[in-house]
Amino acid sequence: MTVTHTVRPYESYVYAYPHKTAYRPLAERPGGRPALDELWAGERKDALSLYMHIPFCEVRCGFCNLFTRIGAPDELTSRYLDALERQASAVRDALGDAEPVRFAAAAFGGGTPTFLTAGELDRLCDIAEKRMGADLRSVPLSVETSPSTATADRLAVLAERGATRISIGVQSFVEAEARAAVRPQHAADVEQALGAIRDTSIPVLNIDLIYGIDGQTERTWRTSLDAALRWRPEELYLYPLYVRPLTALGRRSPGEADAAWDEQRLRLYRAGRDHLLAQGYEQVSMRMFRRTDAPRAEGPDDYACQTDGMIGLGCGARSYTSRLHYSFDYAVRMGEVRGIIDAYTATADFSRAEVGRYTDGDEARRRHLLQSVLQARGMPVDAYRERFGTSPYEDFPEELARFDSRGWLDTATRDLLRLSPEGLAYSDALGPELFSPAVRAAMAAYELK
């Protein structure tokens, strides 16, 4: 059932909950900054996820509001890796040895991890293995790259050290569209990078594409999709374009999307979805599509850093215990980002959490529902009940009734809470409606910097 409604489809991409803009300095709470060994005491440590953040890029795309800076002068990457190693040692000490510590998945993100040289990537892997104890060759290891940095020497290091997935942000194979998104790149460089990736033994290639770019049509969108499909990627992520504050596009364009842009993005999303389904891909979430014959790596379906038991290293990384999500300060403006990175590289003591947000019972329920229902396979109601002792229909009656009235839920069975195709299309509207009032208030009060 599809119901006509006036909800805007693109409110916010929910890649983590609570969002970093809801975090606050932990020193402001009674007792001050909590010690990591206290935070991790009693937590399960037998299936941790490791995320290592490299906050450097050669250029900053017009749509990007990630925590990253352009370039790394004065041996900044070496100083950053020095700090990353100090942080890794402190975190591993905090995890202790009272019970086995095991990592079940790892990822290098950014920024652009392959901004590092081949030798620096080797060192990054050493930090993961020798300091943290992660066996990169025996767990899924995902690494993000870009057309200009996916060079043969860097990729050879990653393949040798155990990378199982390379994700490359292409965004558009049409050069005019790349320029419109303030992403300077040439088609020949993109093709060369994809060829270099396919020349490695790394089994999973993911290509990121963006729809909703100024001037993009169904024809040009199909051109990018077919250009990507020629490489037979195991995964494809289709992202709607957002114009965010403090970004290059945010400075050039109105902050509010109009109805015509919403309609364009929805039309292109549906065209892309239908084309990929017809080409032998399955839909995993609104954004993620996987080739049905692709190898399956153990680990999360959607690389969104959502699981509890997440160890984040680097000044843009988050860590998740069952009770607290924590990180370092967050910014988008270049001067602020540079200041945070400089402060990180000068830090000697990484034994305490800096900024974060505690997650109580209600927030844990919201987060579980969010990260489950936004996956195409849905959420077994019994699994929710086993964890929380209640039903999602009892905990969120108004929200679920509202979603049902809009045709966003698959009503075939109440035992599996799953979105309809229309609900998946409106994931970026549905997700924010599950934010708690407290998180909404904290995000609204956050001062952008």
Side-chain angles (χ1 to χ4, degrees), residues 333-373:
R333 190 176 284 118
M334 281 289 94
E336 298 282 351
V337 170
R338 287 194 292 268
I340 294 170
I341 293 173
D342 289 344
Y344 175 83
T345 61
T347 299
D349 181 4
F350 287 100
S351 64
R352 294 181 178 273
E354 295 287 337
V355 301
R357 188 170 188 90
Y358 285 90
T359 53
D360 59 16
D362 176 68
E363 295 293 14
R365 284 172 164 81
R366 289 179 184 277
R367 183 163 174 270
H368 183 94
L369 181 60
L370 268 169
Q371 67 183 14
S372 302
V373 79

Side-chain angles (χ1 to χ4, degrees), residues 232-414:
R232 299 266 303 153
E234 284 71 25
E235 296 173 7
L236 275 160
Y237 270 69
L238 309 185
Y239 288 95
L241 180 66
Y242 277 94
V243 173
R244 299 178 173 97
L246 305 184
T247 64
L249 286 180
R251 290 189 292 271
R252 287 171 38 184
S253 306
E256 291 292 322
D258 58 21
W261 192 30
D262 283 346
E263 193 278 332
Q264 179 209 20
R265 286 181 288 181
L266 267 179
R267 184 178 68 253
L268 294 177
Y269 159 77
R270 289 172 173 144
R273 175 198 62 194
D274 294 348
H275 189 51
L276 293 185
L277 294 178
Q279 295 298 315
Y281 286 76
E282 63 178 331
Q283 186 167 16
V284 178
S285 68
M286 172 187 167
R287 287 164 171 74
M288 182 182 176
F289 295 80
R290 181 193 291 121
R291 217 176 70 210
T292 53
D293 62 345
R296 301 294 182 95
E298 295 181 5
D301 267 339
D302 205 340
Y303 297 84
C305 301
Q306 282 279 24
T307 54
D308 291 333
M310 169 70 68
I311 298 289
L313 300 180
C315 59
R318 312 158 193 261
S319 295
Y320 300 152
T321 72
S322 61
R323 297 165 293 168
L324 176 70
H325 294 188
Y326 64 92
S327 183
F328 296 92
D329 201 4
Y330 169 72
V332 176
R333 190 176 284 118
M334 281 289 94
E336 298 282 351
V337 170
R338 287 194 292 268
I340 294 170
I341 293 173
D342 289 344
Y344 175 83
T345 61
T347 299
D349 181 4
F350 287 100
S351 64
R352 294 181 178 273
E354 295 287 337
V355 301
R357 188 170 188 90
Y358 285 90
T359 53
D360 59 16
D362 176 68
E363 295 293 14
R365 284 172 164 81
R366 289 179 184 277
R367 183 163 174 270
H368 183 94
L369 181 60
L370 268 169
Q371 67 183 14
S372 302
V373 79
L374 293 181
Q375 301 294 305
R377 66 173 180 266
M379 181 188 74
V381 173
D382 285 347
Y384 182 98
R385 188 185 302 277
E386 182 178 349
R387 178 174 178 183
F388 298 110
T390 54
S391 160
Y393 299 103
E394 299 168 8
D395 293 339
F396 304 98
E398 294 180 5
E399 292 91 338
L400 294 180
R402 187 163 63 245
F403 299 160
D404 186 34
S405 72
R406 295 171 179 166
W408 289 358
L409 299 183
D410 180 348
T411 57
T413 173
R414 284 178 63 87

Side-chain angles (χ1 to χ4, degrees), residues 61-122:
C61 302
F63 50 82
C64 178
N65 72 339
L66 298 178
F67 186 89
T68 187
R69 63 160 290 165
I70 301 170
D74 303 323
E75 299 184 340
L76 181 56
T77 54
S78 295
R79 288 186 282 117
Y80 185 84
L81 290 173
D82 290 343
L84 197 69
E85 189 158 8
R86 293 195 299 273
Q87 185 189 7
S89 296
V91 172
R92 184 60 187 86
D93 288 345
L95 294 176
D97 295 308
E99 55 189 299
V101 175
R102 177 182 174 272
F103 289 92
F108 302 159
T112 308
T114 50
F115 179 90
L116 300 178
T117 66
E120 289 171 332
L121 285 170
D122 216 23

